[in-house]
Amino acid sequence: MSSSPLPPASALLHWYDRHRRALPWREAVRDPYRIWLSEVMLQQTTVAAVTPRWRRFLIRFPSIAALAAAPWEDVAAEWAGLGYYARARNLHACAQAVAARNGFPDTVEELRALPGIGAYTAAAVAAIAFGRPVVPVDGNVERVTARLHAVEEELPGARPRLSGLASRWMEQDAARERPSDFVQALFDLGATICTPRNPACALCPWQAECEGRRQGIAPSLPRKAPKRDRPTRLGVHFLLRDGAGRMLLQRRPPRGLLGGMLGLPGTPWRESGWTPEEAITYAPAPGLDWHALPGEARHGFTHFELRMTLLTAEAPPGLEVGGEWWRPDAAQDALPGAMQRLLLLAEAAAAMASRPPRAG
DNA sequence: AATTCGGGGCC
DNA sequence: GGCCCAGAATT
């Protein structure tokens, strides 16, 4: 397998010149800030989800200096709903580090040392923004490589082997002349031809060199180790409203799940349930008249399924509680998805109360 | 080496 | 309902 000939970079580049995706971060002059931002947003996130958020982010933070100078609260609000919030924290820290040194470094090693930039993103920025002849290995490249070389070893164990095989592609002159286009061509090949299911091998510029296709096992690659089952966790949250219709939000601890983001106060999330008496001890003002809203909000995280119920109360004038008072519409935009679902639950309960459902 | 991090789109 | 997505940091 390691002795198989390299698939021709020239064929892939020729295909890319005709079929590449029109993506917004490919339009402008090569700006490391814009390319870095796209790469961070695209970590474990689809192009469709990223595209509008990437545009909006650049309107709010047009330069890395603007991002570096912004308060964290503004960055968090802009990232809300995108997930993996450590990315936003590291993005902010990275912007400050880059601004302090007057621009991005242009080598893999220096990029790799910045917050939130791992092996993949360092190689991607180096190749796409600075034309360095390196191959970033993402899910697309792993899949293309596993199929091309018929690697049957399971992920994640096969990762070093796949990375080594992929890096050899950049040895060709045609690739080294256009590193930025070549690596993006690999992404597009994986996203549009060499797809996880039902790959369009008949349209592939590398079909003749693909050992997985020759063996008829391409669609089943790469193989992956079985995943663990996701437990269910339960939590109770508190919707405290003041006389002006605003709600109490609290900034979550800076690390861990939803770290640094706003949220409704609540109990910890655990696998056993909560009695109302037990839950209320976590309330921002346990002495108030808390009552339960009907229904629950569900939210899927990567490693557990969360089910949340809601207790609500009215804050008397002058109540002293920690946190911030937010209008519901502004809060909905600034909250991560799990917390947005709680507000939707409250809205549904309010609609139910004002217009009781009829039978039939 | 394994775990912890979100959320959405698509089959 | 499961799978995947231009992964990184932590332990």
Side-chain angles (χ1 to χ4, degrees):
Chain A
M1 124 172 82
S2 59
S3 61
S4 58
L6 290 175
S10 56
L12 180 62
L13 283 164
H14 182 60
W15 170 84
Y16 181 70
D17 289 337
R18 287 175 295 163
H19 299 297
R20 70 175 177 180
R21 292 174 291 174
L23 303 176
W25 43 90
R26 291 176 176 172
E27 292 172 4
V29 188
R30 248 176 240 175
D31 176 1
Y33 171 55
R34 293 174 167 235
I35 291 167
W36 162 71
L37 178 64
S38 75
E39 291 302 338
V40 175
M41 282 190 173
L42 286 162
Q43 290 168 7
Q44 298 296 288
T45 309
T46 57
V47 166
V50 163
T51 298
R53 302 300 300 265
W54 183 86
R55 295 186 192 277
R56 201 181 79 178
F57 195 98
L58 285 172
I59 292 171
R60 187 154 180 181
F61 306 110
S63 67
I64 194 160
L67 176 58
W72 159 249
E73 289 75 14
D74 292 358
V75 179
E78 183 58 38
W79 200 273
L82 260 180
Y84 283 153
Y85 297 97
R87 292 187 296 174
R89 301 195 297 271
N90 287 325
L91 187 85
H92 196 210
C94 184
Q96 293 171 339
V98 170
R101 69 183 296 289
N102 291 314
F104 279 94
D106 63 356
T107 67
V108 170
E109 292 72 20
E110 292 174 289
L111 287 163
R112 177 67 183 79
L114 291 167
I117 299 190
Y120 163 78
T121 304
V125 173
I128 297 171
F130 298 113
R132 299 281 181 180
V134 291
V135 179
V137 182
D138 71 332
N140 288 309
V141 174
E142 284 180 350
R143 185 169 57 255
V144 171
T145 309
R147 290 173 175 173
L148 198 60
H149 296 279
V151 174
E152 299 189 64
E153 181 186 353
E154 286 183 344
L155 288 174
R159 198 150 284 151
R161 171 167 297 128
L162 294 174
S163 179
L165 290 167
S167 67
R168 294 185 46 217
W169 298 339
M170 200 54 88
E171 295 170 4
Q172 304 173 73
D173 289 342
R176 300 181 79 86
E177 289 168 5
R178 300 173 59 187
S180 175
D181 287 341
F182 183 73
V183 304
Q184 292 182 88
L186 287 173
F187 299 157
D188 283 15
L189 188 68
T192 66
I193 302 288
C194 197
T195 52
R197 284 168 300 203
N198 304 318
C201 298
L203 303 178
C204 182
W206 282 353
Q207 56 181 281
E209 292 81 12
C210 185
E211 181 63 15
R213 170 171 161 80
R214 192 191 70 77
Q215 295 183 19
I217 59 174
S220 71
L221 301 177
R223 299 192 178 153
K224 302 197 173 182
K227 296 179 178 172
R228 301 184 313 165
D229 53 345
R230 287 192 325 172
T232 296
R233 293 189 193 176
L234 306 171
V236 181
H237 285 264
F238 302 99
L239 179 60
L240 183 61
R241 296 185 193 273
D242 68 5
R246 299 176 305 177
M247 65 183 66
L248 183 72
L249 300 181
Q250 292 177 348
R251 183 75 55 182
R252 297 173 61 85
R255 308 218 288 216
L257 194 63
L258 308 181
M261 302 301 292
L262 287 170
L264 275 69
T267 68
W269 299 333
R270 67 182 192 192
E271 299 195 16
S272 60
W274 299 87
T275 65
E277 298 76 23
E278 188 185 9
I280 285 172
T281 65
Y282 290 88
L288 298 181
D289 179 26
W290 294 97
H291 57 276
L293 291 179
E296 64 177 12
R298 294 180 177 235
H299 189 75
F301 289 98
T302 303
H303 51 297
F304 66 93
E305 172 85 12
L306 178 61
R307 295 166 57 181
M308 298 169 287
T309 57
L310 205 50
L311 296 177
T312 186
E314 187 88 6
L319 178 70
E320 300 264 349
V321 290
E324 312 169 19
W325 294 96
W326 282 67
R327 293 180 33 175
D329 52 347
Q332 186 76 343
D333 291 336
L335 289 170
M339 298 295 160
Q340 293 180 12
R341 295 189 185 236
L342 281 173
L343 297 193
L344 294 176
L345 175 64
E347 285 181 15
M352 191 78 72
S354 66
R355 189 179 57 79
R358 293 171 23 201

